[in-house]
Amino acid sequence: MDKQLQIEEQLEQSAEHIKAIYKEAIIQGRLILVDAYHQIGQIILALPSRYVAVKDLSRLTGINERTLYSCAQIYEKWPNKDSLPEGKNIT
């Protein structure tokens, strides 16, 4: 087998392996982020002022109001974390 062909095959195999690792890391990152959103939403909805507090929380945390509002909505829709969409279905 030609040396250049071997190198190309190794590069292709390595590229596929790298893509698989990267894709799984992205998925795991999203799962962690969804878990964090759920926890943040729980904190927001436990406040007496609930959604009214989002503007002040945004100012105090530096997190966008829309993100905080979405966190609260996630928790409101799925208060039981086990009922969240599973695995790779999360976006």
Side-chain angles (χ1 to χ4, degrees):
M1 186 182 276
D2 181 74
K3 182 100 171 153
Q4 183 62 31
L5 186 58
Q6 283 181 327
I7 291 171
E8 286 179 28
E9 285 179 2
Q10 285 178 331
L11 282 173
E12 286 178 21
Q13 289 173 355
S14 294
E16 289 303 314
H17 190 207
I18 289 168
K19 287 192 301 187
I21 292 168
Y22 185 77
K23 184 177 180 179
E24 187 60 29
I26 295 294
I27 290 166
Q28 291 302 313
R30 288 180 182 157
L31 291 171
I32 291 168
L33 193 55
V34 167
D35 184 55
Y37 286 168
H38 190 266
Q39 291 177 49
I40 292 167
Q42 182 179 17
I43 292 167
I44 292 169
L45 293 180
L47 295 169
S49 55
R50 297 171 61 110
Y51 285 101
V52 176
V54 168
K55 185 174 186 173
D56 290 329
L57 288 170
S58 176
R59 179 179 49 81
L60 293 167
T61 63
I63 300 171
N64 184 294
E65 282 182 50
R66 181 178 285 164
T67 300
L68 292 174
Y69 185 76
S70 295
C71 291
Q73 287 182 314
I74 287 169
Y75 185 79
E76 193 169 53
K77 187 169 184 177
W78 296 289
N80 179 353
K81 192 168 43 171
D82 295 334
S83 65
L84 282 167
E86 291 185 17
K88 298 177 182 181
N89 294 329
I90 296 175
T91 57

